[in-house]
Amino acid sequence: MALIIDGNAVAAAVKDEVRDEVSRLAAAGVTPGLAVVLVGDDPASATYVAMKERDCAQAGVLTFDHHRPADISQDELNAIIDECNADPKVHGILVQMPLPKHLDAEEAVARIRPEKDVDGFHPASLGRLVRGVDGPRACTPWGVMRMLRHYGIELTGARAVVIGRSTIVGKPMALMLLEENATVTVCHSRTRDLPAVCREADVLIAAVGRAKMVTAEYVKPGAVVIDVGINRGEEGGLVGDVDYASVEPVASAITPVPGGVGPMTRAMLVANTVAAAAEAAGR
Ligand code: NAD
């Protein structure tokens, strides 16, 4: 029986710390603020944004809503970002992805002032991660690191395998594991004999976007398995990249979907916003 890594419980612990930090800042007259830029009416994006705004409200973080129709121009989007960059009440800027196809997401992210990049996607933030310098870290892999730390999972010298090489999850995940002295392998769609590479892992992180792809065949007995994937299941619910039923009996610890990495991503966004507010206030 694997230990079930409870993302909701760890996220609650992060939120408690964040609330303490918000109280400390309030005593100094600072209220953290997050600008939320949502373009278009994608229902999934609207749901994510609503959940993030609720998390902020619960933590005492103000949100400033910038919802625009799907047909806004790049110039209009840039103008919103510029306005948020200049607003001292805004400590973090979230541009909800994906943007409609005619908009350049790279340009939008690069336009955010690095100190307000609470998603950790700005080239400067990624550069800081590569250099091992403190700075805003991408929320999903940062949340995974926090979960691993919470459960005392040893990373020094461990073999870690990350499946997926996206800029928002796979690559920063690999760098964060490296920062904690794991020996890291990054796998992707062209990796040969993926199950054999994955079976070398003491810590296996799946960030692929393919429902239940990682079966017991991919997992060394006793490995820790972290499932980042969020996919629509055949019955309509959410399923991860890991085939939970077959992997759970083999793993020593595993994250469920839902209730694993998802709540951590949102908690780390609030934590990054509060940290940005503290930094801006010099507190
Ligand atoms: P992505 O599509 O940008 O990247 C997927 C990666 O998987 C790519 O690097 C690709 O090379 C690799 N891949 C695809 N097919 C593969 C295969 N058959 N074998 C090996 N590698 C393969 O996706 P992403 O944005 O990194 O997200 C990955 C998953 O994580 C998605 O399900 C997404 O919904 C989920 N996600 C969850 C959270 C969260 O908060 N839990 C946050 C972000 C993303």
Side-chain angles (χ1 to χ4, degrees):
M1 270 272 291
L3 166 77
I4 312 302
I5 296 178
D6 184 345
N8 285 316
V10 187
V14 171
K15 286 179 189 169
D16 282 347
E17 287 171 18
V18 166
R19 263 190 294 273
D20 289 348
E21 182 66 357
V22 168
S23 305
R24 195 181 68 81
L25 289 172
V30 178
T31 307
L34 175 70
V36 180
V37 182
L38 173 63
V39 182
D41 295 305
D42 175 55
S45 292
T47 304
Y48 287 138
V49 160
M51 290 196 295
K52 289 169 185 174
E53 291 185 333
R54 192 192 60 200
D55 288 341
C56 284
Q58 286 172 352
V61 172
L62 295 174
T63 52
F64 305 95
D65 220 13
H66 297 272
H67 188 186
R68 294 293 186 280
D71 61 357
I72 65 163
S73 66
Q74 187 78 37
D75 284 349
E76 286 169 302
L77 175 60
N78 289 347
I80 300 167
I81 295 170
D82 291 348
E83 185 194 315
C84 297
N85 276 337
D87 186 343
K89 296 189 296 304
V90 171
H91 304 102
I93 302 172
L94 163 78
V95 179
Q96 181 64 39
M97 300 292 168
L99 289 171
K101 288 215 169 12
H102 70 282
L103 296 174
D104 185 338
E106 289 294 329
E107 184 178 332
V109 169
R111 203 166 180 101
I112 296 170
R113 271 172 58 178
E115 60 272 31
K116 298 193 178 190
D117 170 41
V118 287
D119 257 337
F121 298 160
H122 191 282
S125 306
L126 293 169
R128 294 175 83 91
L129 172 60
V130 172
R131 296 185 69 96
V133 177
D134 274 354
R137 298 288 197 240
C139 298
T140 299
W142 197 223
V144 171
M145 296 306 287
R146 179 57 201 260
M147 280 201 298
L148 294 172
R149 179 152 62 86
H150 187 95
Y151 282 91
I153 291 162
E154 180 63 50
L155 292 172
T156 296
R159 290 294 304 264
V161 173
V162 180
I163 324 175
R165 58 175 164 183
S166 72
T167 309
I168 64 166
V169 189
K171 284 183 199 165
M173 185 79 256
L175 288 162
M176 288 177 202
L177 290 162
L178 191 60
E179 209 167 31
E180 291 302 322
N181 306 309
T183 300
V184 185
T185 303
V186 182
C187 298
H188 46 79
S189 51
R190 313 275 177 90
T191 298
R192 289 198 195 122
D193 200 356
L194 184 63
V197 181
C198 292
R199 275 198 305 275
E200 290 175 9
D202 302 308
V203 178
L204 177 63
I205 317 256
V208 190
R210 286 177 184 255
K212 300 186 183 181
M213 187 188 88
V214 176
T215 56
E217 186 204 357
Y218 288 63
V219 180
K220 175 167 84 175
V224 173
V225 180
I226 306 290
D227 189 353
V228 180
I230 301 179
N231 312 288
R232 276 272 153 238
E234 279 161 16
E235 290 98 42
L238 293 183
V239 292
D241 292 341
V242 175
D243 179 27
Y244 190 89
S246 82
V247 169
E248 188 272 333
V250 184
S252 64
I254 187 167
T255 58
V257 176
V261 176
M264 290 306 298
T265 299
R266 284 164 30 217
M268 300 323 274
L269 176 72
V270 186
N272 278 350
T273 304
V274 174
E279 187 72 27
R283 300 279 164 178

